[in-house]
Amino acid sequence: MSKLVPPHGGGSLRPLLASAEERADALRRAKRLKKVSLSSREVSDLFMLGMGAYTPLTGFMGHDDWKGAVTEMKLSDGAFWPIPITLSLGRDMAGNLRVGDELALADGETDEILGLVMVREKYTIDRNLECKHVFRTTDPKHPGVEKVLRQGEVNVGGPVLVLSEGDYPVRYKDLYLRPEQSRAEFERRGWKQVAAFQTRNPMHRSHEHLAKIAAEVTDGVFIHQVLGKLKGGDIPAEIRTRAIQAMIDNYFKPNIAIQAGYPIEMRYAGPREALIHALIRQNFGCSHLVVGRDHAGVGSYYGPLDAQHIFDELWDGALLCKPLKIDVTFYCYKCASMATGKTCPHDPEHHLAVSGTRLREMLSQGEKVPAEFSRPEVVAILREYYRSLGKA
Ligand SMILES: [Zn+2]
């Protein structure tokens, strides 16, 4: 018996990725089916379903699961679920569909057939209700709200068969781990308690400190990167991965940190997103998730600790992956060490703060980045990247 935390929902992992045989057959069938173009968020959700990261879901949600997830954070069978996972179509397309139809799901950008869905239900939703509960705002300037408001008017629910994971397995060949693979790797290392650390940035000293606090109280830390769509100006995954690996190789004992990535697209839903991040990590085999300040937030829609507090509102047994709530981390010149907002008594003027904008400036203009802020091995990789941008 595995000593790792069990997958969400009480059963085994449910990867929905087709076997090679099923795939060939399904692709032949897909040629005769109506084709739906997926948004990048739907593509990301389909990949998550395929790898089993959304266990126990078997496809896109029907109305009752949608409503339960939105208003009560519960599927219709009572299982905890904090964010709706839905597929939307325009009225024209949906009008011609009948329950029992099968649809081919194509990547909206590449047109590759990624999967099939069996239509069990067609329904319309109150999009404002979804936004109010999930994002705590209906402001169209919020990037997650904006996507919900822009999606098609009709939702289609039903089980999916996933036929492709796009270019992820090839493009991120050392990084792309499915939940059954991460679980196997944890077991191989003899880990029982594993802390996930979510990141979409290169890791500087403050992130390293968070990851090390997590590693101190568990068997190891799973540094888990967002590989889905990023905002313009973000560091590309290839560079970020090298920078993180340089930090691990030079500043972590061997066998205490694993770097991996997964195909989620950020919704920036703050507290609700922290919950789904924990649920997903439970499926990957993690007993804990590091939840720092302003986890998965954007702008000033959420209080800095909202994503930590929301875990206290869950009912017993809702979620087995627990938050490691850690306050903001920084270097403090008075403490002469890394410190956190929880324990360091000194005024912010003694804390080292470098904004993202200022860091980019320092890197691209060859200024020295303080060693208290970022490790020299990490800085060297980022500097080389910004230099290559300058030449391009
Ligand atoms: Zn201090």
Side-chain angles (χ1 to χ4, degrees):
M1 258 302 267
S2 169
K3 300 240 170 50
L4 296 169
V5 67
H8 184 56
S12 10
L13 280 175
R14 277 207 189 163
L16 305 172
L17 196 58
S19 64
E21 251 170 63
E22 283 174 312
R23 185 171 183 272
D25 182 52
L27 282 174
R28 267 194 300 275
R29 208 158 73 234
K31 293 203 181 99
R32 291 182 276 109
L33 299 173
K34 276 196 198 108
K35 195 170 77 177
V36 175
S37 281
L38 302 182
S39 69
S40 66
R41 194 198 72 198
E42 290 163 341
V43 169
S44 152
D45 284 339
L46 188 69
F47 291 159
M48 295 288 283
L49 286 163
M51 67 178 355
Y54 283 163
T55 296
L57 298 189
T58 56
F60 289 108
M61 288 180 178
H63 177 266
D64 292 354
D65 285 341
W66 169 81
K67 179 131 199 236
V70 167
T71 59
E72 295 180 274
M73 301 200 282
K74 240 182 218 178
L75 300 177
S76 47
D77 67 1
F80 168 70
W81 201 280
I83 285 189
I85 305 299
T86 54
L87 169 64
S88 310
L89 309 181
R91 271 196 197 284
D92 291 352
M93 179 84 189
N96 297 321
L97 278 187
R98 275 190 308 242
V99 168
D101 283 354
E102 201 174 26
L103 296 176
L105 304 173
D107 187 319
E109 283 172 22
T110 64
D111 211 34
E112 184 192 357
I113 299 296
L114 302 178
L116 303 178
V117 63
M118 175 61 70
V119 179
R120 287 268 163 80
E121 233 183 285
K122 287 197 299 184
Y123 60 101
T124 53
I125 60 164
D126 178 346
R127 282 179 279 192
N128 278 321
L129 179 85
E130 174 169 330
C131 292
K132 211 168 69 196
H133 283 275
V134 174
F135 299 103
R136 300 186 178 184
T137 173
T138 53
D139 181 356
K141 287 201 278 300
H142 183 295
V145 171
E146 192 261 339
K147 283 187 188 168
V148 173
L149 297 181
R150 200 155 35 95
Q151 75 193 23
E153 295 94 336
V154 182
N155 279 7
V156 166
V160 299
L161 181 66
V162 182
L163 305 177
S164 167
E165 297 179 291
D167 64 354
Y168 281 103
V170 174
R171 186 163 167 203
Y172 302 111
K173 88 177 159 353
D174 301 323
L175 216 55
Y176 193 74
L177 285 189
R178 303 182 188 96
E180 55 197 19
Q181 295 170 309
S182 61
R183 286 175 169 270
E185 180 58 22
F186 299 160
E187 302 219 1
R188 192 184 69 76
R189 293 175 181 232
W191 291 3
K192 299 180 190 76
Q193 302 266 305
V194 185
F197 181 80
Q198 148 102 14
T199 180
R200 52 196 149 107
N201 294 306
M203 291 172 73
H204 302 295
R205 295 282 305 269
S206 58
H207 311 110
E208 177 188 328
H209 192 58
L210 280 170
K212 281 182 168 162
I213 294 173
E216 290 290 351
V217 296
T218 57
D219 297 318
V221 60
F222 188 51
I223 296 175
H224 209 197
Q225 305 189 33
V226 174
L227 297 178
K229 271 223 152 75
L230 299 169
K231 301 195 296 293
D234 282 350
I235 308 257
E238 291 77 1
I239 308 295
R240 185 190 344 141
T241 306
R242 278 178 53 217
I244 293 176
Q245 200 55 46
M247 178 203 71
I248 294 176
D249 291 346
N250 289 287
Y251 299 96
F252 282 77
K253 263 191 161 174
N255 203 27
I256 198 75
I258 299 173
Q259 185 178 194
Y262 72 133
I264 203 171
E265 179 171 308
M266 294 291 296
R267 285 171 161 84
Y268 302 100
R272 287 274 190 124
E273 189 145 346
L275 293 177
I276 203 161
H277 282 167
L279 184 162
I280 292 163
R281 269 33 176 266
Q282 185 179 324
N283 285 329
F284 276 91
C286 301
S287 55
H288 295 82
L289 171 72
V290 174
V291 182
R293 277 208 167 216
D294 203 24
H295 187 99
V298 63
S300 51
Y301 293 100
Y302 312 106
L305 299 179
D306 286 358
Q308 297 185 352
H309 293 152
I310 197 168
F311 284 87
D312 305 332
E313 296 166 17
L314 302 186
W315 60 96
D316 277 352
L319 190 58
L320 301 178
C321 177
K322 300 297 175 199
L324 282 176
K325 302 173 184 175
I326 308 177
D327 207 329
V328 62
T329 51
F330 43 78
Y331 187 88
C332 171
Y333 286 98
K334 275 233 165 171
C335 291
S337 68
M338 294 305 297
T340 76
K342 186 171 179 185
T343 51
C344 163
H346 306 117
D347 286 338
E349 67 193 68
H350 302 293
H351 302 162
L352 175 62
V354 181
S355 71
T357 319
R358 178 75 186 106
L359 180 65
R360 277 194 292 280
E361 213 173 79
M362 288 164 137
L363 289 167
S364 47
Q365 296 175 7
E367 282 176 66
K368 195 174 165 342
V369 175
E372 295 87 354
F373 181 78
S374 195
R375 300 292 190 182
E377 295 86 350
V378 171
V379 171
I381 290 166
L382 299 181
R383 211 186 276 295
E384 181 193 300
Y385 166 66
Y386 280 105
R387 218 171 267 153
S388 73
L389 281 189
K391 278 190 208 130

